Amino acid sequence: MNLYKIDDQRIINLSNHIYDYLSPNKIYIPIKKRMTFKKNTYIYKNTYYDEYLTSISGTISGYKKILLQKKYLPALEITNDFKENMASKLKTKKITNREELIRALKDNHFNSIVEKLLAQEHFTNLIISSIDEEKYNVRELTILKEYYEEIIETIELLQKILKVSSTLIVAKNTSSESIKKVKSILGTYPSIEFVLTADKYLLSYPDFLCEYLNIFPNDTLILKTSEVYDLYLALIKKRCLDTLIVALTGDALKKSKIIRTKVGVSLEELVNNYGEFITNDYEIYLNGYLKGWKVNKIEDIIMTPDIDTVVFNVKKDVEEEKCINCGACLKVCPMHINVKLCYLKNVGNSKCLGCGLCSYICPAKLSLKEIVMSEENASKND
Amino acid sequence: MQAKTIKNLVVTNLLILIPFVLYGIFKNGYLLYEHHLINFWLIFKPLYLVIIAFLVKLMGDLFSYHKFKIDYNLLCLILVALIMPYNINLLVFFMSLIILYPLSNLVNRYGNINKVCLIYLVIILINSIFTNFTYESLLESSHTFSFTYFDLLLGRSVGGISSTCILASLIIYPYLTFSIYYKKEIPLTINITYLGLMFIYYLVTQNSASLLNSDLIFASILICPLPEYSPTNRLGKIIYGVIIGFLAFLIAIFFNSTISIYLATLVTSLLLNFLIWGENQHKKLAKRA
């Protein structure tokens, strides 16, 4: 296993405080094509798009095309009436056993956790990962620091239901104030062990983390801190998951911000309220600089649960050049994919994790990740 | 791990070459001047060759891209300047580069042929045909020396104008291996193969003349691993190095030890291109069938 420390030379001013922006002026709900709606129709419940709930009540004020999971979709623009008429609290019972937990998770769209629970009958280890992969972000660690009581309450519930024998909270050993605080808090909970890892890339991937910690991955349940906080809201507080926590970061911003906001709010509105830019010549990456993808227009992006980070980086005048055959992409690929061959043949590979190390290391600055990751081309290669 | 651009990589390599140029000025400039064999201005001949290489690159870029680009072509041309024999005429070198640089670019459109070796060998061939060409400097041809192995390590052997310092080559190799972009397996396999075979040859014949080949060490570290002309996967790099080492040994024994590495690299890169071409043809035929 080769884990690398990424030495990115950009200077980012990180924030370890979570701001609330829970009353947006507008939100957007994706709709299917050919659906018709009357303007000024009152909406308080989303019946058009299954993936997330309408997080505000208000009237339809317009229509817009938005970028959702790399695809353009039509969306309704809803203007907030600030009356908070929303779908009421979830009617989830108190969870006492594994079956009830799985049912509750299914109801709240925690599909990935449900898959993990269904795949394995018993877990020996529960790992809560507060690892923020890129230096652009301290989102997971900040969530742990700000909501540690809620997270510990959820961990205790999971420990009881899943009957795990050891629980670890894992964070990167970076010199931050948050680590010191979290360390002092967790010191009072004997059932939870706090483990610091080296500042290496790829540790947010379960398999690599287990290998690093010398833990057998098959009987280990790994959850992110943000997931645990969402579980708290859904299972203990019994609230609809209509909020999300997003980090606005990058060297184009004076200071990065971590914001709790409503699902469906536009990035433009968030930036207008929280983004202080050093320069207007920036490029936007969703979900990280290395792992994420580049988007062109800020107006097209709305905040959905699959977006956790928006990186605003100062544009650098680096042009794509011809491949020089250096082979660095092959050396760094954790899945040992022949990236150069994929690039030359323009085919993807289904094994690709999307870590972005190949694109990052490429001296010719080729967009290798996009080619290797592309699902359409992956079938050609397979 | 830090991401670098092509420009960064080339600049790093160019900085690495500075000690070689300085040693070239000392060995093929200052020492000759001290023995009153050349005038003051010829002390800096290695530097003039580098400047000529730079000028040819500048002219080529201005002609084709309208702006100067720091890329691997610049490094290749400067490497050609460093491995030139002392007796090369500056004007001949300039004219040869002016013609051979665009030609080598043209050749590389059809396959990755090691540009440094190609240009070097053509210049050597032209010089061998038209002039009384020798690899020795004026000092080396006018004296008889008895070098120890330490002298050879310091770079007092016959070879390129700025490529003979084995010690400098051995110092920069560990530094280069830290870079993720450097193909460290290639120099290692070339030298192991060459030295292994040479040692066996020495045991059999008691002839150790080509055992310490300064140009081979310099080229194996800086020319053979040039990214564009060498394989990328580990096994490919090892096979590539072994073939070069083996061919260099054969050429050094039966032909000439100074050009052995350049000829071996050129032949191997031609062989590699031929294999790729053959594979493509095979695939095309299989598709048609």
Side-chain angles (χ1 to χ4, degrees), chain A residues 31 43 67 87 89 145 169 173 191 195 217 269 276 293 335:
Chain A
I31 49 166
I43 283 181
L67 190 67
K89 278 189 173 184
K145 191 198 86 179
I169 294 183
N173 189 9
S191 62
V195 178
E269 191 176 330
E276 282 179 273
W293 60 93
M335 303 309 289

Side-chain angles (χ1 to χ4, degrees), chain A residues 5 7 9 325 331 361, chain B residues 1-3 180-183:
Chain A
K5 187 178 190 294
D7 293 326
Q9 298 211 319
N325 206 26
K331 279 187 197 167
I361 205 72
Chain B
M1 185 176 69
Q2 199 179 343
I180 199 157
Y181 302 98
Y182 185 65
K183 297 175 180 176

Side-chain angles (χ1 to χ4, degrees), chain B residues 69-244:
Chain B
K69 270 170 91 177
I70 296 175
D71 57 14
Y72 271 93
N73 282 336
L74 176 68
L75 182 66
C76 285
L77 289 174
I78 288 174
L79 282 170
V80 172
L82 299 191
I83 59 177
M84 276 294 131
Y86 173 78
N87 292 312
I88 188 81
N89 183 296
L90 291 177
L91 190 67
V92 171
F93 179 68
F94 178 67
M95 294 310 290
S96 307
L97 274 197
I98 288 262
I99 298 161
L100 292 172
Y101 172 55
L103 271 178
S104 67
N105 283 341
L106 195 72
V107 169
N108 271 283
R109 280 190 191 176
Y110 302 100
N112 288 333
I113 312 293
N114 196 311
K115 210 175 272 179
V116 183
C117 299
L118 183 70
I119 297 174
Y120 173 79
L121 289 169
V122 175
I123 294 176
I124 295 292
L125 189 71
I126 294 167
N127 275 279
S128 315
I129 295 168
F130 296 107
T131 61
N132 279 335
F133 177 76
T134 168
Y135 291 98
E136 291 166 345
S137 69
L138 293 169
L139 189 65
E140 284 155 352
S141 52
S142 61
H143 290 69
T144 305
F145 294 97
S146 173
F147 291 138
T148 61
Y149 277 111
F150 186 70
D151 289 328
L152 294 174
L153 269 176
L154 280 178
R156 298 186 70 184
S157 56
V158 176
I161 196 160
S162 304
S163 61
T164 52
C165 189
I166 296 176
L167 207 62
S169 303
L170 294 179
I171 289 168
I172 61 152
Y173 178 67
Y175 171 74
L176 286 169
T177 54
F178 285 115
S179 167
I180 199 157
Y181 302 98
Y182 185 65
K183 297 175 180 176
K184 57 177 181 265
E185 296 89 346
I186 294 174
L188 210 63
T189 45
I190 291 174
N191 284 297
I192 289 172
T193 313
Y194 181 84
L195 286 173
L197 291 169
M198 262 308 166
F199 188 67
I200 295 166
Y201 179 75
Y202 165 70
L203 290 179
V204 176
T205 63
Q206 296 297 308
N207 179 359
S208 64
S210 306
L211 196 63
L212 262 186
N213 187 338
S214 57
D215 271 44
L216 183 127
I217 294 171
F218 176 84
S220 69
I221 291 169
L222 287 158
I223 297 171
C224 302
L226 279 174
E228 276 186 75
Y229 320 112
S230 50
T232 44
N233 61 331
R234 200 179 159 81
L235 184 67
K237 284 184 270 191
I238 292 169
I239 294 170
Y240 179 77
V242 169
I243 295 173
I244 293 179

Side-chain angles (χ1 to χ4, degrees), chain A residues 65-91:
Chain A
K65 277 208 165 180
I66 57 158
L67 190 67
L68 198 73
Q69 287 163 353
K70 298 184 189 175
K71 283 177 190 164
Y72 275 95
L73 285 176
L76 292 178
E77 183 186 272
I78 298 166
T79 305
N80 200 352
D81 64 355
F82 301 102
K83 285 178 184 169
E84 300 290 323
N85 290 328
M86 281 160 57
S88 58
K89 278 189 173 184
L90 294 172
K91 286 167 188 167

Side-chain angles (χ1 to χ4, degrees), chain A residues 20-38:
Chain A
D20 279 336
Y21 186 68
L22 298 169
S23 299
N25 296 325
K26 282 168 185 173
I27 67 143
Y28 296 87
I29 307 173
I31 49 166
K32 284 171 190 159
K33 280 177 187 171
R34 292 178 192 163
M35 274 182 154
T36 49
F37 295 90
K38 278 185 183 170

Side-chain angles (χ1 to χ4, degrees), chain A residues 8-14 135-136 249-254 278 312-314 316:
Chain A
D8 196 329
Q9 298 211 319
R10 292 177 191 261
I11 297 161
I12 298 137
N13 198 352
L14 294 167
K135 77 169 239 184
Y136 291 89
T249 180
D251 65 345
L253 290 168
K254 274 184 190 165
I278 296 167
F312 298 91
N313 269 351
V314 176
K316 281 186 178 174

